[in-house]
Amino acid sequence: MTEQDFIPKAYTELISNGKTSWKSPSNIALVKYWGKRKGQIPANPSISFTLDNCKTTTSLTFSKLTEPNSNFSFDIFLEGNKKDHFKPKIATFFERIYKYLPFLSEYHFTIETSNSFPHSSGIASSASGMSALALCLIEVEKQLNPEMGDEFFARKASFLSRLGSGSASRSIEGPLVQWGEHASIQGSSDLVGIKYPYQVHEVFRTYCDSILLVDKGQKQVSSTVGHDLMHNHPFAEQRFEQAHENLSKLKVIFAEGDLREFIKIVESEALTLHAMMMTSHPYFILMKPNTLEIINRIWAFREQSKTHVCFTLDAGANVHVLYPESEKTEIDQFIKNELVAYCENGQYICDQIGLGAKKA
Ligand code: DP6
């Protein structure tokens, strides 16, 4: 597979107007993507659970312009409110994908988007947001080229999503999606996320993720800046190699359902991600005191209860609490009794593994 595969043939006819709508989920990485090369190429492979409840719904209305506009003509609304300050990000996305969707200059687009999770919850909405928009756009292309097959549709949706936000390439399908070349994962690619192609023990098919909202404020350092700081990072090469090794180890763990080993990899990945932040130049810390309180309580509870609760983190202070569905009642109670006190306004979101994006 190369980038060339995603450049379409000339369209035979351009329809005058239409509307497409998609709902796309967020995802939580088990092996983290942190560091990238030019063109949204990941520095290491990653893998994630697709989520189910944390979703973005996007509708795209399009109408043919009288003259093509290579500066792109569009408006964007979030929960019904016009958001002009999102425009530069979308314009950059359109510039990156124009080569692959040449119809972009032919239409005026109205993008209407809403999230299932609370506003400014600190939950990264770039994965669900960019993938929902990419799906709406590829659906327009399918209307221009109705022969497009489902497999190509999903691949190109992931390819376009990646150009919007790397982690968004992992939100199209589920329950487990892998992105980035890896020697022992057949079909793995830096260009698209793929459905994890090997055996997965049933315990992982219904895994739960309760997202504890520790800090809902704006992050001091964006992911984009964080990725950039992996260039010339003193530990970058070892870290990238470790991600490859952790994926190889997970392959065995997924097949066998060994939760103790799963926990070791997942928690180590989360802490390594934050260790990379703390050892870059300039260095920074995104965890908050309550993040550490929660981690310590999870460790103590796991020891005492002999359950399989563990945590992971994304690029922020919030904690994703992961556990098998069979332990849900016990872990829910533990969260209410011991962890909610460390969440901002006592807020957390119950989610679980999901199957990917759907037409809305
Ligand atoms: C820590 O996908 O948000 O969540 O490609 O610059 O948009 P861009 O970055 P983004 O980075 C996600 C980083 C992460 C780990 C992960 O999801 O793998």
Side-chain angles (χ1 to χ4, degrees):
M1 192 191 330
T2 70
E3 271 113 344
Q4 295 299 316
D5 300 340
F6 298 103
I7 298 179
K9 288 193 242 95
Y11 307 120
T12 42
E13 200 190 341
L14 288 171
I15 49 181
S16 61
N17 56 63
K19 185 174 179 177
T20 59
S21 298
W22 278 83
K23 227 182 239 258
S24 191
S26 187
N27 65 71
I28 181 68
L30 305 170
V31 172
K32 309 288 182 183
Y33 147 57
W34 198 244
K36 60 177 162 181
R37 302 200 302 269
K38 208 168 154 269
Q40 294 283 102
I41 298 301
N44 65 259
S46 58
I47 191 161
S48 51
F49 277 152
T50 303
L51 296 180
D52 199 28
N53 298 333
C54 289
K55 283 185 178 138
T56 298
T57 304
T58 297
S59 295
L60 182 76
T61 313
F62 54 100
S63 54
K64 183 115 177 29
L65 297 165
T66 43
E67 286 287 314
N69 177 354
S70 56
N71 289 324
F72 311 116
S73 170
F74 66 92
D75 288 309
I76 176 148
F77 296 83
L78 174 67
E79 333 264 314
N81 301 310
K82 200 155 186 262
K83 293 282 176 188
D84 284 342
H85 65 279
F86 287 172
K87 286 186 98 168
K89 197 165 180 192
I90 304 295
T92 304
F93 178 46
F94 279 14
E95 276 157 28
R96 285 186 193 161
I97 62 176
Y98 183 37
K99 196 165 141 193
Y100 308 104
L101 295 178
F103 67 79
L104 283 178
S105 56
E106 302 282 350
Y107 293 100
H108 174 76
F109 298 97
T110 303
I111 304 163
E112 290 166 285
T113 188
S114 62
N115 294 324
S116 65
F117 38 89
H119 252 5
S120 65
S121 54
I123 294 198
S125 57
S126 73
S128 56
M130 283 298 177
S131 55
L133 179 55
L135 282 155
C136 289
L137 290 167
I138 185 76
E139 175 92 26
V140 177
E141 184 163 88
K142 193 176 157 80
Q143 293 183 8
L144 303 176
N145 169 16
E147 291 101 70
M148 187 189 295
D150 291 348
E151 202 183 312
F152 183 79
F153 183 99
R155 273 190 177 230
K156 187 158 173 181
S158 174
F159 176 84
L160 297 171
S161 300
R162 185 195 98 241
L163 294 172
S165 178
S167 55
S169 68
R170 299 187 311 237
S171 275
I172 306 300
E173 297 175 292
L176 263 174
V177 178
Q178 193 276 330
W179 168 46
E181 272 177 39
H182 185 277
S184 60
I185 300 183
Q186 220 186 356
S188 61
S189 162
D190 286 344
L191 301 181
V192 297
I194 58 164
K195 246 162 105 161
Y196 177 71
Y198 302 110
Q199 198 192 338
V200 178
H201 189 277
E202 64 180 348
V203 71
F204 294 116
R205 296 202 201 125
T206 52
Y207 233 69
C208 299
D209 179 7
S210 294
I211 308 160
L212 308 185
L213 306 179
V214 171
D215 183 55
K216 303 195 286 168
Q218 185 83 29
K219 283 187 282 191
Q220 310 110 297
V221 181
S222 71
S223 290
T224 310
V225 173
H227 284 293
D228 227 33
L229 292 172
M230 287 304 281
H231 294 290
N232 305 318
H233 189 292
F235 307 130
E237 285 318 309
Q238 294 96 311
R239 159 59 198 153
F240 301 148
E241 214 173 287
Q242 179 198 43
H244 284 267
E245 285 160 16
N246 281 344
L247 255 167
S248 298
K249 289 183 188 157
L250 272 181
K251 202 173 152 183
V252 181
I253 294 168
F254 284 141
E256 292 176 354
D258 185 339
L259 294 184
R260 294 280 157 217
E261 291 302 312
F262 175 75
I263 290 170
K264 282 190 208 158
I265 303 271
V266 168
E267 292 190 342
S268 164
E269 276 287 322
L271 294 178
T272 301
L273 168 70
H274 285 258
M276 290 299 114
M277 300 174 190
M278 290 190 248
T279 48
S280 63
H281 298 288
Y283 41 81
F284 59 104
I285 301 180
L286 295 183
M287 290 187 282
K288 296 283 179 194
N290 282 352
T291 311
L292 296 179
E293 285 288 353
I294 290 169
I295 291 174
N296 280 311
R297 293 218 169 225
I298 289 174
W299 285 342
F301 181 78
R302 184 164 77 221
E303 178 62 33
Q304 162 238 313
S305 65
K306 306 290 172 221
T307 56
H308 299 87
V309 61
C310 76
F311 72 88
T312 188
L313 307 166
D314 54 20
N318 296 332
V319 182
H320 288 251
V321 184
L322 300 177
Y323 49 95
E325 198 193 20
S326 59
E327 298 174 2
K328 191 172 174 36
T329 316
E330 203 175 344
I331 306 297
D332 249 359
Q333 204 53 53
F334 160 61
I335 291 175
K336 287 196 185 99
N337 293 348
E338 291 197 42
L339 304 185
V340 160
Y342 299 107
C343 298
E344 201 173 328
N345 305 324
Q347 264 186 303
Y348 68 103
I349 298 171
C350 290
D351 210 338
Q352 69 261 334
I353 204 160
L355 293 178
K358 288 196 184 71
K359 235 169 152 160

